[in-house]
Amino acid sequence: MSTTSLSKAEKSYIAAGLTQSTPHRADGRNLTDYRSVALEAGVAPLANGSVRLSIGRNINDNGGGTEVLAATKLEVESISIGESSEGREGGRFIVNVSCSPAAYPHLTQNALDDLQHDLTTILHTTLTHPSLHPQNLTILPHKKSWLLHLDLLILSDAGNTLDALFLAARAALWDTKVPRTRSVEYKAPRGSNKANAGANTTVEGGDIDVDSTAPSGFDTRTQISRATDFELPDYWDEGEALDGRDRWPVCVTLNLAPPVHFLDATPQEESAIPLRLLLIFSFTSTSKGEATLQAMRSLGAGELSLVQIKDLIQTGEKYAHSLYTALNAKLKDEDIRRTQKARERFIAARR
Amino acid sequence: MISFSSFPATREYAEFSGPHHPYDPSDDVEMEIDEDYLDTNGSKLTYPGESLTSSQAYMRGHGTYVDNEEVIASVAGTIERVNKLVTVRAIRSRYNPEVGDLVVGRITEVQPRRWKVDANSRQDAVLMLSSVNLPGGVQRRKLESDELQMRNFFEEGDLLVAEVQAFFADGAMSLHTRSLRYGKLRNGQLVTVPPILVRRLKSHFIALPCGVDLILGLNGYIWVSKHVKEAEQEGEEGFDAEGVYSNINDNIDEITRTAISRVTNIVRILASHFIPLTDTLLIEAYDWTVDQEGGAKDLLSEDLSDALVTSLAFRV
Amino acid sequence: MGSRVEILNDGGYRSDGRRQFELRDITINLAQQGQADGSAVITHGLTQVLVSVFGPREAKMRSQTIHDRANINVEVNVAAFSTGERRKRSRGDKRILEIGSTIKSTFEPVVQTTLYPRSQIDVYITVLQQDGGLLQACINGTTLALTNAGIPMADFVCAVTGGVHSTSALLDLTTLEENDVPHVTVAMMPKTGKVALVTMETRLHVERFEEIFRLAGEAGKVLHKEMKKAVMGRTSTLVNAMGSRGSGVDRDGDEQMNEL
């Protein structure tokens, strides 16, 4: 995203190539072609979900390309009405982007911090919107919930970082498993000094034991869930998938060189064509064309008319849909591959 | 439009050690030049800290140092012995300039009476105002107004081709563009490759038959552009500033643009396979890709690039 | 502090199944990362570190240049997901700055900086996963990345951690062991056996120190073997790739070296 230094002649060469009758790009790609995208899930075993994604990486010697690592981590938080705790009913979600200085060797520390801040803001405000909030982040209602952290790290930048960040975010969230919890209530049995642990029905969304008498509205004691603590029934189980994995959005960056636009820009193209429109769409997997525009941002110097924006949003939705479908297919493949790998390892270990 | 793939499996240079390394005095290996590490051409490879020979018999060159009457390698690379001189050439490093080299550079700063040029070396190169051709005649005197209008000639971001004239005391290069073939670059695009892959050739200006010109900078910056006719290069009596320092490109038609993209992709493929660039090689590669009848972007796929490299290995 | 897991059991096995002096599995990947001049990814067991080297190149800030040699700048970036518990460390975190400056002072006498006056060598370290031996992994990774970038050094620098559990010495500690046992990190240069760095932050009895120090030095030589193998493997692959298309005249032709 930082501008590569380019001469005026180079910039006009790129711009002229795009605006001639048959548009032409520096490496011969079509306007809507992405470079090769590589994705691998489960790269950080200590995290609850992780993914490594690269766009345009050189297949042979691995150099170049935009490379992003994303990982999610779940922490337990206490909720209480007072100001001291930060936990909130239904769980919290925080997104953070950091840039490795190796990705931006020409930027100073301050510029790097600014860039990190910008990217974090874009990702955080879009992904933590209430419409996307996962429903299974509660452990014990009113008492304990999960704090979901999504950390993204840019290892190298060769253009189109925002698309890469959103793709990685979606993939990492898809890969995230929430540990199953079981709420536990401690009851002192009558006439005995020992405390017994009695398990309620397995709670995964905070169901309250409903076979007690209907609580009075004025008596707050009985409305508080009897569950006071929770345990992990199976330490080694990864857990269930994070809710709402279909809803996580994809981002399409449209680089605008009127009358055309193109996708997946290289750093040279980004420097020559500064005007960009970011469109972030969320789809529900069932319906084919039903998309929600989660966020939109225009970047760079230039003007856009309302009519242009409307058209671009329509076209952008189609691009985003192809991206979404392709990514889903890949994620499902990854799931299969990893289950298979785990199975093979298990069999090998048993021999 | 978009296709997802997986990361390649463990790369060649990934080493897996065995499950145990028991501390064992007999494991201490003698420091010898291992026979395994002779490359196909027969020259030996070495690594930093390896003892090469006695310093009584040989003089040390680049990539080595002397300690305790021994010549010891300081980089990883190939050992070269010329008469009594031992040097080690690093397999990958920044550009090491020499007088007379042709380089392609980018202006990073404009300073009083000089420009700073990024040439992929350990320090930015310097281009003095007195080392460039000024409009109005090759022999014209430098005026004060020239000093104030340096950005009319070169400004930040401009690309130029120049020759290394000399070195400053701290090792920075001093460049000059005092030839009609040198100067500002336009009508094309830049590709970067590791500097080692650019061999010293008779001429670094290559004209491919498809109407594409290449300038192979020894610093690894390669300029691919539309062909400039010989006649235009000569220039007339009065040196035309409009022409030489202009930022305006010519009209470039689509065939030429496609050819430029093809050549750029070829250069990238060769560089990623670590194959040195020469004019014959580039012409062969271009002919091969044209025979394939694919578009320029097809070269971005792994299969086609591997096929290209294999075919080059078999020719000649 | 007691631990529920035994550091060293009666059979002589550690918590991860290794023997006393056994080092963890090492993987080294020297393929290029991004635009770096030299890079390396090194793994010691579950600790994984990526090091990218840029340079020698023009210094970003003129104030940092030294007139007669190159300035080495080390920056460490610890990923928030690198540990079991997520923890975001800011760049100004004292611990991280300390690791960075330790590495810088380790390599300053080893890298031949006098060849590059007024230049800068940037070493960017990204910690992807941590399970003990962080400084060790960073130093080994830096050695490999510098070699990969063609920056002249007097020798490799190989680092390893060593600790003592009651009277038994242990090598290459995991987090579990580091939390429980006094330990020291030793970085040595295998050719001469000289020590480039010794650092310890726990309390260790003087009589135990000598043994651990010596053992760690020996273990460094074992590490050197692996690192050398990786470096030579890569060099040989690249040289073969270059040679396969006719190096011919030019290679010898331009070797009339101008002595500096």
Side-chain angles (χ1 to χ4, degrees):
Chain A
M1 260 187 90
S2 58
T3 40
T4 322
S5 187
L6 233 57
S7 69
K8 290 203 176 96
E10 284 174 284
K11 287 184 189 167
S12 64
Y13 178 82
I14 293 176
L18 291 164
T19 50
Q20 62 186 28
S21 51
T22 12
H24 181 93
R25 288 173 82 171
D27 53 3
R29 277 186 288 151
N30 292 334
L31 294 177
T32 54
D33 277 343
Y34 271 73
R35 292 166 284 181
S36 64
V37 184
L39 186 150
E40 190 181 333
V43 294
L46 295 171
N48 294 94
S50 59
V51 86
R52 179 174 162 219
L53 181 121
S54 81
I55 300 183
R57 155 189 261 236
N58 199 312
I59 299 162
N60 232 55
D61 66 5
N62 283 359
T66 300
E67 197 154 329
V68 173
L69 269 181
T72 52
K73 202 86 181 88
L74 288 162
E75 275 171 41
V76 182
E77 265 192 326
S78 301
I79 312 168
S80 65
I81 324 292
E83 319 78 32
S84 55
S85 80
E86 293 176 323
R88 229 184 297 142
E89 190 66 43
R92 282 200 302 153
F93 181 22
I94 300 180
V95 182
N96 203 285
V97 179
S98 64
C99 306
S100 163
Y104 299 97
H106 296 292
L107 285 187
T108 61
Q109 194 71 285
N110 286 335
L112 205 63
D113 287 340
D114 286 344
L115 181 62
Q116 270 179 190
H117 183 80
D118 283 344
L119 294 171
T120 302
T121 312
I122 295 180
L123 264 97
H124 180 80
T125 46
T126 309
L127 292 174
T128 58
H129 192 266
S131 65
L132 298 171
H133 193 87
Q135 299 301 317
N136 59 349
L137 290 182
T138 307
I139 306 175
L140 297 176
H142 311 300
K143 289 224 180 58
K144 296 229 188 271
S145 63
W146 289 115
L147 165 60
L148 174 64
H149 273 288
L150 171 62
D151 293 296
L152 297 129
L153 173 61
I154 300 180
L155 290 172
S156 118
D157 183 348
N160 208 15
T161 31
L162 278 159
D163 286 9
L165 285 168
F166 274 97
L167 283 172
R170 181 176 157 80
L173 289 164
W174 174 283
D175 189 48
T176 306
K177 301 273 190 293
V178 181
R180 280 176 237 269
T181 57
R182 198 169 57 182
S183 26
V184 149
E185 178 193 342
Y186 292 94
K187 268 198 277 219
R190 297 185 211 292
S192 151
N193 289 331
K194 286 183 284 189
N196 278 343
N200 285 351
T201 49
T202 309
V203 179
E204 254 147 34
D207 294 325
I208 300 181
D209 216 31
V210 287
D211 56 16
S212 50
T213 51
S216 147
F218 295 109
D219 184 356
T220 49
R221 280 176 317 155
T222 49
Q223 274 184 357
I224 297 169
S225 161
R226 291 229 203 95
T228 52
D229 204 349
F230 69 95
E231 63 177 20
L232 298 174
D234 183 351
Y235 185 69
W236 292 112
D237 173 32
E238 288 186 339
E240 58 168 15
L242 187 64
D243 170 59
R245 355 150 82 176
D246 295 323
R247 290 201 297 267
W248 299 116
V250 290
C251 169
V252 182
T253 306
L254 297 159
N255 304 274
L256 307 172
V260 299
H261 58 263
F262 60 96
L263 306 176
D264 194 22
T266 59
Q268 289 79 14
E269 288 172 331
E270 282 183 347
S271 175
I273 311 286
L275 183 59
R276 262 172 281 164
L277 186 65
L278 241 71
L279 294 168
I280 299 158
F281 287 96
S282 150
F283 300 91
T284 43
S285 67
T286 50
S287 51
K288 209 180 170 196
E290 238 183 65
T292 324
L293 182 60
Q294 293 287 139
M296 177 174 86
R297 220 172 253 255
S298 74
L299 296 169
E303 297 179 335
L304 281 176
S305 76
L306 219 51
V307 174
Q308 276 177 302
I309 295 184
K310 271 204 236 168
D311 288 336
L312 290 169
I313 294 180
Q314 277 188 336
T315 341
E317 188 188 318
K318 299 201 189 74
Y319 297 145
H321 190 82
S322 331
L323 225 68
Y324 180 84
T325 327
L327 179 61
N328 276 7
K330 176 68 180 165
L331 290 171
K332 295 208 170 83
D333 278 348
E334 276 292 292
D335 281 345
I336 296 175
R337 178 187 70 84
R338 288 169 66 201
T339 347
Q340 209 147 33
K341 209 167 114 178
R343 200 176 293 141
E344 283 165 16
R345 236 187 290 142
F346 182 67
I347 294 174
R350 280 177 63 193
R351 277 204 208 107
Chain B
M1 186 187 109
I2 185 169
S3 70
F4 285 85
S5 62
S6 292
F7 283 95
T10 32
R11 304 295 312 168
E12 312 148 35
Y13 326 120
E15 298 282 330
F16 278 100
S17 63
H20 35 244
H21 285 276
Y23 157 60
D24 189 349
S26 65
D27 263 351
D28 293 341
V29 183
E30 298 300 315
M31 299 293 181
E32 284 173 10
I33 298 178
D34 232 317
E35 287 306 314
D36 296 350
Y37 295 124
L38 290 172
D39 74 325
T40 49
N41 287 347
S43 47
K44 296 201 174 149
L45 306 180
T46 182
Y47 56 89
E50 185 178 18
S51 204
L52 297 176
T53 179
S54 149
S55 66
Q56 308 287 9
Y58 287 88
M59 270 197 334
R60 72 157 199 89
H62 290 306
T64 60
Y65 67 99
V66 173
D67 186 38
N68 230 12
E69 299 199 354
E70 280 182 322
V71 176
I72 303 171
S74 60
V75 290
T78 46
I79 305 174
E80 271 147 15
R81 265 175 246 248
V82 177
N83 299 330
K84 286 284 190 180
L85 182 68
V86 178
T87 63
V88 179
R89 200 215 261 189
I91 192 57
R92 214 198 138 90
S93 80
R94 286 230 154 195
Y95 168 56
N96 275 323
E98 297 193 14
V99 175
D101 278 357
L102 184 106
V103 296
V104 171
R106 195 186 288 281
I107 305 281
T108 55
E109 263 182 79
V110 180
Q111 291 180 346
R113 287 194 298 283
R114 57 162 69 177
W115 291 273
K116 285 292 201 133
V117 180
D118 161 39
N120 205 20
S121 179
R122 62 185 98 110
Q123 267 180 285
D124 281 351
V126 174
L127 176 65
M128 309 290 298
L129 179 57
S130 49
S131 308
V132 308
N133 283 328
L134 299 168
V138 181
Q139 295 298 334
R140 130 156 137 63
R141 285 189 65 142
K142 195 155 55 75
L143 301 173
E144 220 179 285
S145 57
D146 291 330
E147 295 177 25
L148 300 173
Q149 293 173 348
M150 285 178 64
R151 284 198 175 78
N152 289 346
F153 307 133
F154 292 112
E155 56 177 345
E156 288 90 342
D158 279 344
L159 276 175
L160 53 91
V161 56
E163 192 179 299
V164 179
Q165 190 173 39
F167 288 107
F168 285 93
D170 60 3
M173 300 178 258
S174 173
L175 305 174
H176 80 88
T177 58
R178 277 195 174 285
S179 160
L180 295 171
R181 310 188 85 194
Y182 301 153
K184 202 183 266 199
L185 293 170
R186 65 185 77 79
N187 295 333
Q189 55 194 27
L190 186 75
V191 194
T192 312
V193 305
I196 300 196
L197 299 180
V198 184
R199 291 281 151 85
R200 287 200 164 80
L201 307 165
K202 268 218 198 73
S203 169
H204 287 264
F205 293 86
I206 300 176
L208 294 179
C210 46
V212 174
D213 271 1
L214 277 155
I215 301 181
L216 300 177
L218 279 155
N219 56 340
Y221 288 178
I222 298 182
W223 180 251
V224 186
S225 68
K226 176 180 133 171
H227 179 63
V228 178
K229 295 200 194 14
E230 290 299 326
E232 285 168 20
Q233 265 184 357
E234 293 300 327
E236 314 90 30
E237 271 299 322
F239 192 67
D240 181 18
E242 295 302 311
V244 178
Y245 290 115
S246 130
N247 288 320
I248 315 240
N249 291 335
D250 305 332
N251 263 332
I252 308 179
D253 61 15
E254 192 182 320
I255 303 178
T256 317
R257 273 185 201 272
T258 315
I260 292 177
S261 300
R262 254 210 194 96
V263 174
T264 310
N265 288 347
I266 291 172
V267 170
R268 282 214 186 96
I269 292 174
L270 293 176
S272 73
H273 283 89
F274 224 71
I275 297 173
L277 303 169
T278 57
D279 47 355
T280 41
L281 194 66
L282 288 162
I283 295 176
E284 276 177 38
Y286 187 81
D287 288 338
W288 187 89
T289 52
V290 167
D291 288 339
Q292 295 305 309
E293 292 177 8
K297 72 164 180 173
D298 296 330
L299 282 166
L300 296 173
S301 82
E302 187 177 356
D303 300 328
L304 205 62
S305 66
D306 284 344
L308 168 64
V309 171
T310 330
S311 84
L312 289 175
F314 286 133
R315 288 198 196 192
V316 175
Chain C
M1 36 194 151
S3 51
R4 278 167 291 168
V5 184
E6 266 186 314
I7 297 292
L8 188 65
N9 71 9
D10 298 326
Y13 286 99
R14 291 150 77 171
S15 57
D16 57 0
R18 283 186 288 152
R19 310 229 79 185
Q20 256 186 294
F21 303 132
E22 200 178 320
L23 303 176
R24 290 177 286 183
D25 278 355
I26 302 172
T27 67
I28 297 174
N29 188 336
L30 296 175
Q32 194 189 0
Q33 304 280 340
Q35 303 162 283
D37 290 314
S39 51
V41 182
I42 185 168
T43 319
H44 287 280
L46 290 178
T47 300
Q48 188 178 53
V49 160
L50 158 67
V51 183
S52 293
V53 168
F54 288 84
R57 58 176 183 167
E58 181 84 9
K60 267 187 278 181
M61 291 198 294
R62 206 115 324 135
S63 56
Q64 287 179 345
T65 55
I66 309 172
H67 71 283
D68 60 349
R69 50 194 168 85
N71 178 37
I72 301 180
N73 174 37
V74 179
E75 280 180 37
V76 181
N77 189 4
V78 178
F81 46 80
S82 60
T83 45
E85 272 186 30
R86 181 212 179 255
R87 223 185 121 191
K88 171 120 179 90
R89 304 224 192 189
S90 76
R91 211 159 277 144
D93 183 272
K94 292 288 189 300
R95 200 86 184 85
I96 293 188
L97 289 178
E98 194 187 336
I99 295 179
S101 76
T102 308
I103 296 174
K104 176 181 152 103
S105 45
T106 306
F107 281 93
E108 254 164 5
V110 181
V111 173
Q112 299 185 331
T113 50
T114 47
L115 293 173
Y116 306 119
R118 286 220 176 79
S119 307
Q120 178 153 319
I121 298 174
D122 287 301
V123 179
Y124 298 126
I125 301 177
T126 309
V127 179
L128 298 170
Q129 246 179 269
Q130 284 188 64
D131 184 31
L134 179 60
L135 186 58
Q136 152 195 331
C138 290
I139 291 178
N140 293 334
T142 305
T143 302
L144 291 165
L146 286 170
T147 311
N148 212 351
I151 294 177
M153 297 198 294
D155 198 355
F156 279 59
V157 181
C158 307
V160 82
T161 50
V164 176
H165 174 68
S166 69
T167 53
S168 325
L170 303 171
L171 287 178
D172 198 4
L173 279 61
T174 59
T175 305
L176 193 72
E177 293 165 339
E178 277 182 354
N179 287 339
D180 210 41
V181 136
H183 57 277
V184 59
T185 305
V186 176
M188 49 84 77
M189 292 161 61
K191 176 165 171 64
T192 49
K194 289 197 184 150
V195 174
L197 169 81
V198 180
T199 155
M200 182 170 77
E201 288 163 352
T202 48
R203 279 190 328 179
L204 183 58
H205 200 284
V206 154
E207 280 163 27
R208 301 271 153 256
F209 179 77
E210 200 228 309
E211 187 196 355
I212 271 300
F213 183 70
R214 189 178 43 85
L215 276 174
E218 300 290 344
K221 293 214 175 90
V222 174
L223 273 175
H224 173 67
K225 244 196 339 177
E226 287 303 312
M227 289 163 70
K228 187 178 87 166
K229 230 185 355 169
V231 168
M232 294 297 258
R234 174 169 165 88
T235 309
S236 142
T237 314
L238 292 182
V239 167
N240 287 340
M242 278 177 69
S244 66
R245 275 298 306 173
S247 43
V249 182
D250 295 332
R251 193 137 66 110
D252 304 320
D254 66 319
E255 280 316 310
Q256 308 308 317
M257 294 305 283
N258 309 321
E259 269 289 294
L260 247 181

